[in-house]
């Protein structure tokens, strides 16, 4: 089971955080701090895995953004890398050529996509198409409402 | 900053052109959030950011609390609040508004509301209670999106005590027409299962339905639950193996819709999940494993593409292949696969390859040998993670000959690492290796010194404890122990004389203890000098009180000889008035002892042996004092739990009036949760610190594998061949070199040649010192000092290998295979007669020959024949033996025939077949099962007749096998006496020769164990059976307890064997009916404070469901039904003759609402667990 997923920038700024097990606020802050320092300190030619306490940390850099997640002992690191990759693909499909700014300004969308993709730390849906569809379905609602609401403004 | 601007500009066109993509480029640059973000990015200092956010939060606060704010504005504000929280600023005033938004908003506002809730609120947050109604409403909504959102939030934030409120509705969703809802519901239930397994126990049948769902996505989701369930009890799900194999076959064969592909690999996540499940199911189970060989082979073959995801599948495949009952052909392929990983230039794959090697190397040490050069390279890898993983691998292949080099490498790594967790872990490993394989005293003490100085005060306390115990208990040879102690004293004096300011407290404590105890061993050592050193420690700053106490108590041992009185005086002056009572006491004691020499020599005699030391833990010597005090009117002592209980009772009485209605409401649930002391809730598998279960198990396995420890009870290994380090290295290097030429890959040697010669030599040297003792040429193998070369097929020896192990291994393996035959009987329901028996033997005999050291080629020639029949259907299994026999070359055929003849005629080998793991009825075994009939004669007298006459009339269980080896068979029977559980152990001599001096020992921490009779037997004649009895009493509530024991006996003169056994006892064995009247029940009910409520399954029957259910419970759990009034029933039982447990049952809709109360904390939970189990199994 994935324990948490963090997205942060090269400067160590947190962009997204998802905790699949409840943790006290203080612990979360410590983890975020540890992760950013550990991951940012890694050399580019080293492997994408780290150990932190009894957890396995898997991270990958996409452009200026680091995707970093924590796994339990029995989980497969390579598979986690692909989970991260699939998430990036999903973001890319949704935003169209996604960049860090998309995630900064629309982080709630990034959360919604993540919720369709993972649930309780396990993969829920792997099909890009299905996720796109269900996001679209809820977005459509938003879209029409938004249009309706914002009409007078234009 | 400029690239941010650039990015923004590049995003602009898509913003302006009305792109049709749903969310593309919607930078809300005009919104408040947009400007907030932009403002923040423009700031340069943290301080400015703080100011800005503070202003922002103030504005937010005003906005959310204003009554005029619309829901839409609220949604926008919420997003900003989330952003502020992400930056690390608290916005707790918005939490309640997030809940409100989820409650009252339209769908899209709800979505943001739920998101905010899941980000803001922790499981323990009080506000969550306010969410229950909203979630309930949304779960029942007709809008799919609302249902989805509710399911998502439920799986994210709902705590244990809120689950019952929504559980029924979530359960309902399992039959929802829309697959996405079903999938989410399954995942939500999986989450519940992790948090509170006993709450979803009744849904297991529905999980099975989810497994058979027509939508592959729902099926995939249900596998999460199955993986968990199978991990906990693999035996209960063996019959699903076929289904899992079929599913995997279809997936691998590309039968799933293309939607499930990931980079053109079919459903990799599903594949991996299935591989894991198969690995668990096939563990140590040949017949189950045989079902999956084919599909594993296919998975290996199909995963050929060069992509991370295929490597991930391959890795799991390899793990599964090495977890199940081994098949050489597959193992070879898997080994090749690991080789590809290890040799890969991609660093991630290398890492995984090392991990796989670590996993596999316990079974096949040769594999490490093949890759030794790569391992050496990884040891010097710049990436610390790779390095650490390599050390982990080396840890697994350590033996007496390479221990010095490996420990040196580990200590080297320790110097580099600064992460506490790693240090503690590594220090523990070094200590373990040092204790197990130390070549000599000097090395051992020095290594332990390093351990203590590195590990400091973080390391596990058992390391110093076992070290001191080792010193104290000594070894077999008195001279050896003296040398060891002397060396320790020398070394510690040297340590103290140097600068010792940085030493950790634990180390100082050890030093002072050793000096106090053993410094007299060193001749010519001035006691005063030692005292001086220790006194200096006392006065040093930064030394904790605990350490000071250690130092004082060792000074106490040293106050003899010249200067002792002065020292005592000085110490008392300095510490006699210390603020710390412990120090003060120590100082006073020291004074007393120094004044009274007689007393001192009596209490602290020099050079004591620890063997005769007995601790009177019941403090019986104080009895007189207690009696006096009681006579003088003192209150009797109450143990802490009793005091606590009384307190609880007072509280509980005022809080909870006796009520009869039991709706599942939140309040009742939280009450339930108030005391969650049981093992049930603890076992949720959620605990974060369950570090590396497999590895842990692995390391303990190493311990047990008949390795004769160099240190320990048996003592210091006296017949070490070569104490010097250099000699074995040279000697071994030749062995390894030759083996590397023979076994290693040729490409590696060529690669080695291109490198500079010296470096190459250096590496070769290192390799030879690291991998010494691993090759099959070498006498010492991984398994320790036993002569058997690496045994590919031996996985877990059950018996302790003491002599030439061929007989034992054959024995244990044959019992293994024949047990799996029984399994195939049970599960395949193929009740054909005879032919199944020889099958395991034919496939088996060659394996034993391998184990004995003869050529491996024979095995390979065998296995394919095995493989041919595996491909065929189960019905053909019966024809298999003949087929196999035909295929085998005449010589071996002859051998196998002989083997099977032996199997049929010789009691000794057949026995394990009938004594299967499953609880079985004896009479049935005797008559019905062809496997056992005919040959055995003495077993016809069923051991039940051997039950002592006084126990024969009492209710008792069937007879189960506990353990067996070649000469002795242990079985047990539970007899349920009112006041205790009587455990009757039958010891049967299965050979013809009498066995001498049998001693049985039984341990169980949670139970009171008393031996009645028969645990020591002088002689047991051939084929004779003897009985020994124990009474077991359970005081506290435990769902399950494990007892372990050993039988030691002499099979031949002077040849002592031990046979370990273990068994599990459940609470149900200790439950007795409590016969009381309804009035008494009412009275008792009010006086109990520990209660639990739960809805249970209601059994349907011809009669009234309540009566049916209660009868079922009574039948399985020995409860007493006190009364049944209408739709309510009251039931009572007790824990032996101790704490009662009362059940109040009421029909509530389709379920049985049960309320349990007891005076014993934890008992209601445990009883409830068994009620649930009983009803589920009914």
């Amino acid at each position: 089971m994935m324990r948490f997923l963090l997205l942060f920038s090269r400067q160590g700024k947190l962009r997204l955080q998802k905790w699949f097990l409840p943790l006290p606020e203080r612990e979360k802050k410590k983890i975020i701090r540890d992760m950013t320092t550990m991951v940012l300190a890694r050399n580019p030619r080293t492997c994408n895995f780290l150990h932190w306490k009894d957890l396995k940390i898997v991270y990958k850099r996409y452009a200026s953004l680091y995707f970093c997640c924590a796994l339990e002992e029995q989980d497969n690191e390579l598979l986690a890398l692909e989970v991260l990759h699939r998430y990036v693909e999903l973001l890319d499909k949704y935003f169209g050529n996604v960049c860090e700014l998309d995630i900064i300004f629309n982080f709630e969308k990034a959360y919604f996509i993540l919720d369709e993709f993972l649930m309780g730390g396990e993969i829920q849906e792997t099909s890009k198409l299905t996720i796109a569809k269900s996001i679209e379905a809820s977005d459509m609602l938003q879209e029409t409402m938004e249009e309706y609401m914002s009409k007078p403004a234009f | 900053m400029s690239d941010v601007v650039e990015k923004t500009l590049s995003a602009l066109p898509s913003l302006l052109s009305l792109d049709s993509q749903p969310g593309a480029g919607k930078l809300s640059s005009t919104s408040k959030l947009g400007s907030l973000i932009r403002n923040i990015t423009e700031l340069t200092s943290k301080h400015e950011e703080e100011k800005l956010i503070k202003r922002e939060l103030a504005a937010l606060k005003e906005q959310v609390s204003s009554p005029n704010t619309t829901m839409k504005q609220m949604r926008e504000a919420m997003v900003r609040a989330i952003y502020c929280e992400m930056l690390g600023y608290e916005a707790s005033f918005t939490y309640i508004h997030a809940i409100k938004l989820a409650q009252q908003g339209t769908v899209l506002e709800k979505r943001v509301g739920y998101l905010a809730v899941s980000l803001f609120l922790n499981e323990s947050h009080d506000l969550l209670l306010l969410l229950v109604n909203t979630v309930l409403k949304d779960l029942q909504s007709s809008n799919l999106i609302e249902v989805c959102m509710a399911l998502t939030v439920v799986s994210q934030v709902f705590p244990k005590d809120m689950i019952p409120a929504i559980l029924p509705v979530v359960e309902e969703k399992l039959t929802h027409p829309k697959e996405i809802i079903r999938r989410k519901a399954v995942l939500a239930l999986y989450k519940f299962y992790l948090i509170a397994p006993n709450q979803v126990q009744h849904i297991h049948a529905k999980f099975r339905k989810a497994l058979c769902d027509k939508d592959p996505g729902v099926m995939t989701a249900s596998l999460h639950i199955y993986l968990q369930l199978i991990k906990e009890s693999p035996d209960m799900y063996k019959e699903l193996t076929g289904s899992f194999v079929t599913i995997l076959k279809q997936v691998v064969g590309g039968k799933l819709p293309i939607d499930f592909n990931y980079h053109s690999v079919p459903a990799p996540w599903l594949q991996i999940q299935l591989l894991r499940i198969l690995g668990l199911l096939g563990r140590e189970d040949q017949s189950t494993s045989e079902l999956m060989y084919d599909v594993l082979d296919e998975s290996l073959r199909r995963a050929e593409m060069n992509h991370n995801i295929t490597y991930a599948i391959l890795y799991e495949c390899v793990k599964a292949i090495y977890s199940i009952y081994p098949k050489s052909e597959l193992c070879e392929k898997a080994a090749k696969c690991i080789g590809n990983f290890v040799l890969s230039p991609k660093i991630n794959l290398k890492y995984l390859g090392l991990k796989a090697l670590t996993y596999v190397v316990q079974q096949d040490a040769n594999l490490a040998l093949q890759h030794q050069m790569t391992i050496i390279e990884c040891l010097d890898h710049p990436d610390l993670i790779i390095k650490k993983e390599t050390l982990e691998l080396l840890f697994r292949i350590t033996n007496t000959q390479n221990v010095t080099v490996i420990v040196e490498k580990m200590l080297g790594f320790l110097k580099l690492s600064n992460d506490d967790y790693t240090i503690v872990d590594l220090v523990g490993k070094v200590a373990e290796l040092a204790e197990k394989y130390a070549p000599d005293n000097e090395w051992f003490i020095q290594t332990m010194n390093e351990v203590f100085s590195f590990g400091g005060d973080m390391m596990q306390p058992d390391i110093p404890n076992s070290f001191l115990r080792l010193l104290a208990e000594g070894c077999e040879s008195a001279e050896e122990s003296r040398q060891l102690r002397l060396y320790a004293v020398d070394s510690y004096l040297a340590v103290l004389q140097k600068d010792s300011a940085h030493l950790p407290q634990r180390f100082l404590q050890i030093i002072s203890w050793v000096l106090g105890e053993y410094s007299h061993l060193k001749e010519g050592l001035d006691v005063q000098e030692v005292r001086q050193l220790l006194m200096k420690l006392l006065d040093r700053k930064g030394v904790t009180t605990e350490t000071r106490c250690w130092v004082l108590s060792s000074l106490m041992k040293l106050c003899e000889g010249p200067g002792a009185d002065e020292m005592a005086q000085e110490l008392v002056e300095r510490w006699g008035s210390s603020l710390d009572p412990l120090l003060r006491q120590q100082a006073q004691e020291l004074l007393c002892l120094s004044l009274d020499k007689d007393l001192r020599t009596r209490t602290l005699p020099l050079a004591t042996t620890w063997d005769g030391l007995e601790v009177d833990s019941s403090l019986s010597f104080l009895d007189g004092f207690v009696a006096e005090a009681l006579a003088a009117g003192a209150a009797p002592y109450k143990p802490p739990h009793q005091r606590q209980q009384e307190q609880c009772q007072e509280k509980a009485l005022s809080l909870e009036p006796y009520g009869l209605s039991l709706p599942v409401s939140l309040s009742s649930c939280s009450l339930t949760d108030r005391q969650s002391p049981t093992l049930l809730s603890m076992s949720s598998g959620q605990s974060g610190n369950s570090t590396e279960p497999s590895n842990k198990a692995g390391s303990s396995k190493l311990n047990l594998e008949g390795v004769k420890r160099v240190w320990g009870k048996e003592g210091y290994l006296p017949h070490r061949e070569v104490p010097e380090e250099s000699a074995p290295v040279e000697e071994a290097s030749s062995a390894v070199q030759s083996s590397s030429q023979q076994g290693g890959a040729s490409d590696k040697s060529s690669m080695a040649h291109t490198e500079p010669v010296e470096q190459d030599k250096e590496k070769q040297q290192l390799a030879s010192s690291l991998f010494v003792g691993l090759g099959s040429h070498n006498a010492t193998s991984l398994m320790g000092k036993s002569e058997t070369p690496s045994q590919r097929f031996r996985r877990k020896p059950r018996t302790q290998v003491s002599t030439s192990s061929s007989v034992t291994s054959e024995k244990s393996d044959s019992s293994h295979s024949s047990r799996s035959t029984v399994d195939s009987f049970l599960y395949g329901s193929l009740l054909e007669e005879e032919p199944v028996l020889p099958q395991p033997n034919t496939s088996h005999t060659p394996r034993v020959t391998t184990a004995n050291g003869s050529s491996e080629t024979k095995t390979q020639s065998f296995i394919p024949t095995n493989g041919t029949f595996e491909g065929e259907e189960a019905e053909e299994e019966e024809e298999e033996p003949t087929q196999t026999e035909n295929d085998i070359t005449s010589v071996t055929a002859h051998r196998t025939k002989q083997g099977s003849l032996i199997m049929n005629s010789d009691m000794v080998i057949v026995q394990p077949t009938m004594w299967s793991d499953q609880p079985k009825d004896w009479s049935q075994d005797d008559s019905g099962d062809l496997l056992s009939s005919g040959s055995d004669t003495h077993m016809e007298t069923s051991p039940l007749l051997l039950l002592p006459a006084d126990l024969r009339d009492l209710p008792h269980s069937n007879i189960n096998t506990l353990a067996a080896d070649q000469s002795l068979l242990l079985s047990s029977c539970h007899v349920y006496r009112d006041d205790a559980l009587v455990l009757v152990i039958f010891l049967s001599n299965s050979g013809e020769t009498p066995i001498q001096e049998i001693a049985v020992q039984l341990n169980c921490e949670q139970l009171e164990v008393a031996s009645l009779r028969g645990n020591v037997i002088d002689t047991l004649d051939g084929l004779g059976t003897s009985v020994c009895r124990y009474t077991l009493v359970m005081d506290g509530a435990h769902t399950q307890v494990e007892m372990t024991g050993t039988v030691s006996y002499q099979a031949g003169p002077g040849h002592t064997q031990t046979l370990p056994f273990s068994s599990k006892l459940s609470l149900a064995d200790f439950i007795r009916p409590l016969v009381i009247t309804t009035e008494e029940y009412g009275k008792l009910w009010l006086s109990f404070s520990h209660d639990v409520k739960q809805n249970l399954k209601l059994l349907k029957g011809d009669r009234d469901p309540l009566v049916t259910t209660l009868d079922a419970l009574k039948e399985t759990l020995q409860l007493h039904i006190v009364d049944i009034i209408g739709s309510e029933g009251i039931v009572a039982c007790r824990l032996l003759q101790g704490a009662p447990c009362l059940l109040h049952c009421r029909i509530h809709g389709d379920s049985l609402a049960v309320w349990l109360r007891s005076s014993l904390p934890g008992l209601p939970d445990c009883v409830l667990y068994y009620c649930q189990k009983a009803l589920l199994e009914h």
Side-chain angles (χ1 to χ4, degrees), chain B residues 686-737:
Chain B
Q686 287 261 66
S687 62
N689 41 14
S690 59
T691 47
E692 320 185 356
S694 62
N695 287 359
K696 278 276 157 66
S699 60
S700 63
K701 218 183 288 163
L702 265 179
N703 262 330
L704 297 171
E705 270 180 34
V707 172
K708 175 152 185 191
R709 293 161 54 121
V710 177
W711 298 99
K713 286 260 153 77
E714 292 129 295
Y716 187 76
L717 194 71
H719 41 80
R720 254 173 296 115
E721 286 115 324
V722 206
E724 290 88 0
E725 192 196 324
S726 58
V729 170
E730 274 166 27
E731 173 195 270
S733 73
S734 59
V736 173
Q737 263 166 10

Side-chain angles (χ1 to χ4, degrees), chain A residues 18 23 54 82 89 99 125, chain B residues 7 122 183 262-263 688:
Chain A
K18 189 86 191 172
L23 287 173
D54 58 331
E82 295 314 300
E89 285 180 344
C99 66
E125 173 61 73
Chain B
K7 270 280 192 167
N122 224 329
R183 187 164 53 212
Y262 176 83
H263 292 265

